[in-house]
Amino acid sequence: PTRLNDVLVPEPREACVLNCLLRKFTPPAYPFKFFEKADTDRTLKTFASFRSIVIFPHDYALMSFYEFYAMSIPLFLPSHLSKYLFPYSATVPLL
């Protein structure tokens, strides 16, 4: 990675919860800066330049997880299984 103090938080447009919380509660002197997908040119090369990626899955088959994992980027995800069991995806009802 070339952006050693930058962390990507690629949440879907419809759910800015994590990004909103990070913006509100990150202290000014915090050593890491958080970026959304919209802050980038959305290329895999750019994503690979981030130190790590924080993913809060919103869908059972989140393709970006597999892409980031295949690129060997450090990933941070919720540890509790309930965070993955949603009755709806970000845009399409599953039930």
Side-chain angles (χ1 to χ4, degrees):
T2 56
R3 300 173 70 165
L4 298 179
N5 294 329
D6 297 345
V7 176
L8 182 63
V9 187
E11 279 202 57
R13 295 182 308 272
E14 300 88 350
C16 76
V17 175
L18 187 53
N19 279 309
C20 292
L21 289 171
L22 287 169
R23 281 196 188 101
K24 180 73 175 170
F25 295 108
T26 301
Y30 196 69
F32 298 110
K33 297 198 182 308
F34 299 95
F35 295 86
E36 298 180 50
K37 238 194 250 186
D39 299 324
T40 72
D41 60 3
R42 298 180 185 209
T43 64
L44 294 178
K45 182 178 180 178
T46 298
F47 296 156
S49 70
F50 283 86
R51 179 184 187 114
S52 62
I53 297 178
V54 175
I55 297 178
F56 194 91
H58 61 278
D59 202 335
Y60 288 106
L62 190 61
M63 195 62 199
S64 60
F65 167 80
Y66 299 105
E67 292 169 343
F68 297 142
Y69 183 81
M71 292 168 33
S72 300
I73 300 172
L75 300 172
F76 294 91
L77 296 108
S79 61
H80 197 272
L81 182 61
S82 68
K83 304 302 183 264
Y84 302 93
L85 302 176
F86 296 106
Y88 297 94
S89 71
T91 56
V92 180
L94 296 175
L95 300 175

